[in-house]
Amino acid sequence: FNSLPSKTRPFVTSAMSSITDTISPDINVCANCGKGEEESASLKACTACKMAKYCNRDCQIAHRPQHKKACKRRAAELHEQALFRQPPQKEDCPICFLPLPLVANKVSFKTCCGKSICCGCTHAQLKEEVRRGIEPEELGVCAFCREVDVETDEERVKQITVLMEKDNANAIATLARYHAMGEMGFPQDMARSAELLLRAGELGCAEAYYNLGNAYYSGRGVGRDDKKGRKYWELAAMSGNVNARNNLGTVEGYAGNNQRAYRHFIIAARAGDEECLEKVRKGIMRGLVTKDEYADVLREYQKRQDETKSKMRDETVRYQANPLLYAEVNPSMYTT
């Protein structure tokens, strides 16, 4: 296993024996007093196990001693199901409508409109600007909203603030990075960064949960807490973050839980993560993965790669490696 990065799932009354373990969630009776939904205004399910139902808070509290053990067991089962379920794919680029790449440096978050745009669409916009002969200092119009990029840190922070007021999770995560790195005029404040990461994660940003997990696991800006670090990695992984999934697999491997480790690696590889695909391949030699399992994972991996592939995205890689290729688009801009 590779080392972890440093940066880093009829009820009876109290006079009768409880049958909470076998109750169906479709049976609408209070677990404590036995009243049916027709006798109670509404029954609310236990938020942890989703099985037991109660007509009010008093009934839930009274039934807690009987329900606690079964509830904890069922909640753990639900968590495991959620943790090892194949997560949804990343959102689509709002311009080309292809799934966004897994690699962070192939996606740009635009503080002008709050959209995440793939590198291919950003490259296509830049290439068109060069073709039209736009002056270099005027390059960088947003490929989605066509707004000219801001020039100062103050303007950038103002855009972020507007998006934060709209609960844009990526904007909040971006501000968390500014606080963590001491950028954009902010003093370095890891505690504030952790607060913002938690808020961004709760609003749906998987990367924020991943970074918050890293912070707790390394003790960076918060007290070191491996349990919390793992908790936030799990939340990130369930939302589709393959780096968090990789970390969870690595932690399980160090603990000797090889079967759980490879379940994580397989999920990440099926989502398109190359590093975890290689770990699954090596799992064959360790007797932890069969050849048929690997073949199935490889097919899904290739499918995800094909879904995110485009001519412009491939071209971006070449242009990033050699920016002088833009001169071929409009040689007159680069002649003296």
Side-chain angles (χ1 to χ4, degrees):
F1 297 101
N2 292 346
S3 60
L4 292 173
S6 58
K7 57 180 183 179
T8 359
R9 217 172 92 127
F11 273 101
V12 296
T13 65
S14 56
M16 303 169 63
S17 59
S18 173
I19 56 171
T20 302
D21 290 1
T22 59
I23 196 68
S24 166
D26 297 326
I27 296 180
N28 293 318
V29 293
C30 176
N32 183 62
C33 67
K35 288 183 180 179
E37 196 153 16
E38 67 283 354
E39 301 176 69
S40 180
S42 62
L43 296 173
K44 302 208 179 284
C46 171
T47 56
C49 70
K50 316 296 183 186
M51 296 287 285
K53 298 177 182 177
Y54 302 97
C55 53
N56 54 51
R57 176 70 175 165
D58 291 339
C59 277
Q60 185 174 12
I61 293 173
H63 189 251
R64 182 63 180 165
Q66 294 172 262
H67 178 56
K68 185 176 181 179
K69 186 178 292 187
C71 179
K72 187 175 181 179
R73 182 168 59 250
R74 179 57 180 162
E77 291 172 356
L78 292 174
H79 180 73
E80 283 290 286
Q81 292 172 14
L83 180 60
F84 290 107
R85 186 181 299 127
Q86 193 72 33
Q89 290 188 53
K90 293 200 72 170
E91 62 186 291
D92 293 344
C93 171
I95 299 175
C96 65
F97 301 110
L98 294 175
L100 289 170
L102 290 176
V103 182
N105 64 7
K106 292 186 178 182
V107 180
S108 297
F109 174 66
K110 300 298 182 180
T111 58
C112 47
C113 55
K115 300 294 184 181
S116 293
I117 301 173
C118 76
C119 60
C121 291
T122 301
H123 165 66
Q125 173 67 23
L126 179 58
K127 191 175 178 181
E128 176 61 16
E129 290 175 352
V130 172
R131 187 192 66 78
R132 289 163 51 196
I134 295 176
E135 293 300 320
E137 60 270 14
E138 297 178 5
L139 296 176
V141 172
C142 175
F144 184 80
C145 69
R146 300 298 194 234
E147 185 172 327
V148 178
D149 196 19
V150 296
E151 296 182 358
T152 68
D153 292 352
E154 291 77 9
E155 291 175 300
R156 182 79 65 199
V157 171
K158 186 176 179 180
Q159 288 181 330
I160 290 285
T161 302
V162 170
L163 292 173
M164 283 183 62
E165 292 172 353
K166 300 177 182 178
D167 283 341
N168 185 296
N170 288 324
I172 297 170
T174 300
L175 187 62
R177 188 185 78 238
Y178 294 162
H179 281 283
M181 305 300 292
E183 298 175 344
M184 297 292 172
F186 290 101
Q188 190 173 36
D189 188 340
M190 300 300 294
R192 176 57 176 158
S193 176
E195 291 175 6
L196 291 167
L197 287 174
L198 178 58
R199 182 182 168 194
E202 291 171 344
L203 288 170
C205 180
E207 286 70 22
Y209 272 144
Y210 165 66
N211 287 323
L212 187 57
N214 286 348
Y216 274 107
Y217 207 88
S218 64
R220 191 176 67 247
V222 292
R224 172 153 186 169
D225 190 325
D226 292 358
K227 187 175 180 180
K228 277 191 175 181
R230 184 184 180 119
K231 169 189 171 181
Y232 290 119
W233 281 343
E234 288 181 348
L235 289 171
M238 288 187 283
S239 295
N241 187 283
V242 293
N243 293 319
R245 183 74 67 177
N246 190 358
N247 283 1
L248 289 170
T250 302
V251 168
E252 293 288 7
Y254 283 151
N257 303 322
N258 291 328
Q259 292 298 330
R260 289 178 64 85
Y262 277 89
R263 289 179 72 184
H264 284 299
F265 295 147
I266 285 172
I267 290 172
R270 288 171 65 91
D273 185 73
E274 185 176 3
E275 183 179 341
C276 285
L277 178 68
E278 178 62 15
K279 289 181 178 181
V280 174
R281 186 188 68 81
K282 290 180 178 179
I284 298 175
M285 294 180 283
R286 301 183 64 192
L288 297 168
V289 179
T290 68
K291 291 184 177 180
D292 287 342
E293 286 175 328
Y294 176 69
D296 177 68
V297 171
L298 184 59
R299 282 191 293 269
E300 285 298 312
Y301 168 83
Q302 193 58 56
K303 181 180 177 182
R304 295 292 173 263
Q305 294 297 309
D306 292 343
E307 289 173 346
T308 60
K309 203 174 184 67
S310 76
K311 177 182 176 181
M312 277 299 172
R313 292 181 182 182
D314 290 343
E315 188 176 278
T316 303
V317 176
R318 293 193 296 110
Y319 276 66
Q320 287 177 338
N322 184 10
L324 290 178
L325 289 172
Y326 283 105
E328 299 176 7
V329 178
N330 188 348
S332 64
M333 287 187 65
Y334 296 87
T335 57
T336 57

